[in-house]
Amino acid sequence: MKTKALRTVLFFLIIIIIPAFTLFGEKETVSYNENKTLAEFPTLSFQSYKNRSFMKGVSAYFSDHFVLREQFIKIKNQIDKSIGKNEINGVFEIDGSLFQTFRNVDYTLTDRNITALNKLKSRYPETPFDFMLVPTAQEMLKNKLPKYLDVQDESEYNDYCVGKLSGIEAIDVSREIAEKEYAYYRTDHHWTSSSAFAAYTAAGQKLGYTPLPESAFSVETVTNDFKGTLYSKTLNERIKPDSISVYRTETDFTLTVKDKKYDSLYFEEYLSQKDKFLYFLGGNYGVCSVKNNTNRNGLKLLIIKDSYANEFIPLIAEHFEEITVIDPRYCSLSQIKEINPSEYNRVLVLFNVLGFSQEQNFSLIEFTGDNQ
């Protein structure tokens, strides 16, 4: 009798109580732990009913707002881990670090991206172009990966890309990054400030500047509680939160995004929020510019990048009076056509290996400067 009564209570709880709390309980619009905007309840119409988008919307709404949702996700992930499942939402854990694997590469997309870059270079033969593909955490952990993962070698992919470049210099910083003890965040897909500084130092000769020694910077840890994108995918509480460090000088910078100007390249307000990586540059923009108000040497740099560059830009900005930054992921065609590479001393393309291999919008850069 007790077992039957317990089953009845559980059935009642699952079928009625939990959906009722889900539907009528207080709602959040954002899951900060998962770093995502939660679905809104869909609007019912004849069209949405007919094409089934209403029911799909209802399903997404209940999935996103399910009562105690994050707790259930954590429990599920812990159970998966305990039965030997090492992959959670495409993220693996090794030695107390989370990482995404580099595999199943679409070389057709890679070829398209390289072709777009070569076409852009061919239109501006007098402007030096440089190409920096940054390895991901997988490269550091590759000797510890189980063979069943069947990952692809990032250095081989880098060689493949470099072999297809035409008139563009490649910058390899993998050795310098590998020498860093804390090269990648444990809970996030980015390299650390330490790795960005190593790349800044290594790239100096190729990019025509003499890097400042580390002693010229004030190195400060700004937070010890960073839980990044990979934590958001797994909600893995066993992984130790990351620290974020910053390399500062007394140089006066201005960051311009559309019509807004900021007197810093670092945004302290994000350190109290979930996505603390926004501390660097305040995020990602289709186009932005950095002005060095201290070093007026007339040198101009154009950077085409993904978010790996956000920690790198404040360092290299020490050596250029002006840097224009293009992020193809957020840039419109009209924006990109207004930027003329011939007005810059050189062009740097900086992406991480995984990001470049998957970037669908990179071919937009072929049209850079078309309105000039």
Side-chain angles (χ1 to χ4, degrees):
M1 287 294 294
K2 288 184 178 180
T3 301
K4 185 176 180 181
L6 179 60
R7 288 176 178 172
T8 301
V9 170
L10 288 175
F11 179 81
F12 183 75
L13 179 67
I14 293 171
I15 299 300
I16 299 177
I17 301 298
I18 290 179
F21 271 102
T22 299
L23 185 60
F24 299 110
E26 186 176 348
K27 301 295 184 296
E28 301 288 344
T29 57
V30 176
S31 171
Y32 292 101
N33 276 333
E34 296 176 89
N35 200 25
K36 62 176 285 188
T37 301
L38 301 178
E40 297 181 358
F41 197 84
T43 300
L44 177 62
S45 66
F46 176 76
Q47 186 63 30
S48 67
Y49 176 79
K50 183 179 179 181
N51 63 20
R52 300 183 180 181
S53 62
F54 177 75
M55 292 309 300
K56 290 179 181 178
V58 170
S59 177
Y61 176 83
F62 272 91
S63 176
D64 276 3
H65 295 277
F66 192 80
V67 64
L68 300 178
R69 178 176 183 273
E70 290 187 5
Q71 287 78 0
F72 278 114
I73 291 174
K74 290 178 182 179
I75 292 171
K76 176 186 178 299
N77 291 346
Q78 289 171 0
I79 293 173
D80 286 344
K81 188 71 176 177
S82 68
I83 63 176
K85 184 178 178 181
N86 291 321
E87 182 178 3
I88 307 293
N89 289 332
V91 178
F92 289 81
E93 176 188 348
I94 287 184
D95 289 351
S97 291
L98 301 173
F99 71 98
Q100 293 171 299
T101 55
F102 180 66
R103 54 182 174 175
N104 303 322
V105 176
D106 181 356
Y107 279 92
T108 301
L109 177 58
T110 295
D111 290 343
R112 188 178 78 189
N113 291 345
I114 293 292
T115 297
L117 179 56
N118 285 336
K119 285 183 178 179
L120 178 62
K121 169 60 182 173
S122 69
R123 290 170 47 213
Y124 302 95
E126 302 302 318
T127 304
F129 275 56
D130 300 280
F131 181 75
M132 184 193 300
L133 269 191
V134 181
T136 71
Q138 176 186 291
E139 190 68 9
M140 297 284 287
L141 298 168
K142 63 182 180 182
N143 294 329
K144 300 180 180 181
L145 302 183
K147 295 190 182 299
Y148 72 81
L149 283 183
D150 193 29
V151 298
Q152 292 178 256
D153 190 287
E154 292 190 1
S155 61
E156 290 182 2
Y157 178 80
N158 182 72
D159 291 343
Y160 176 87
C161 293
V162 170
K164 289 183 170 290
L165 296 176
S166 178
I168 301 169
E169 291 291 322
I171 300 176
D172 185 359
V173 296
S174 57
R175 180 175 60 82
E176 288 77 9
I177 294 173
E179 293 173 353
K180 292 295 178 181
E181 182 179 354
Y182 188 33
Y184 296 90
Y185 296 113
R186 292 179 292 271
T187 67
D188 192 74
H189 67 286
H190 291 101
W191 58 357
T192 62
S193 296
S194 176
S195 288
F197 185 81
Y200 153 75
T201 301
Q205 184 174 2
K206 284 283 185 72
L207 295 177
Y209 62 83
T210 302
L212 299 175
E214 188 169 346
S215 59
F217 294 85
S218 172
V219 184
E220 176 190 0
T221 298
V222 293
T223 182
N224 288 307
D225 192 32
F226 174 42
K227 296 179 179 179
T229 55
L230 303 185
Y231 168 81
S232 297
K233 287 177 177 289
T234 63
L235 300 182
N236 189 336
E237 296 289 355
R238 293 189 305 273
I239 305 301
K240 181 182 178 182
D242 285 291
S243 61
I244 293 179
S245 297
V246 60
Y247 290 70
R248 294 179 186 270
T249 66
E250 297 299 319
T251 304
D252 177 31
F253 293 110
T254 300
L255 172 68
T256 302
V257 182
K258 294 183 178 178
D259 296 327
K260 293 185 177 180
K261 294 183 182 294
Y262 305 91
D263 60 3
S264 177
L265 305 184
Y266 304 105
F267 290 72
E268 306 284 341
E269 60 267 30
Y270 288 111
L271 295 177
S272 61
Q273 299 183 25
K274 167 62 177 68
D275 194 356
K276 292 176 172 56
F277 192 77
L278 296 178
Y279 172 75
F280 299 101
L281 303 184
N284 298 293
Y285 318 100
V287 176
C288 68
S289 66
V290 175
K291 185 88 175 284
N292 186 324
N293 302 309
T294 303
N295 185 6
R296 297 184 177 276
N297 58 15
L299 296 178
K300 297 177 66 176
L301 175 68
L302 176 61
I303 295 181
I304 302 168
K305 62 88 174 181
D306 67 8
S307 56
Y308 262 56
N310 292 15
E311 293 163 290
F312 181 85
I313 288 170
L315 302 171
I316 197 173
E318 296 285 344
H319 305 280
F320 292 86
E321 182 175 337
E322 186 176 343
I323 297 177
T324 297
V325 181
I326 297 174
D327 192 326
R329 299 171 301 165
Y330 307 101
C331 191
S332 67
L333 185 60
S334 60
Q335 284 179 305
I336 215 163
K337 285 183 175 182
E338 295 296 329
I339 299 169
N340 186 354
S342 66
E343 296 177 355
Y344 295 83
N345 296 91
R346 61 191 321 120
V347 177
L348 170 64
V349 177
L350 194 165
F351 273 75
N352 79 87
V353 168
L354 181 59
F356 187 77
S357 71
Q358 297 176 345
E359 183 48 57
Q360 298 283 340
N361 293 329
F362 187 85
S363 57
L364 270 180
I365 71 162
E366 178 185 338
F367 305 100
T368 306
D370 266 12
N371 286 353
Q372 305 302 315

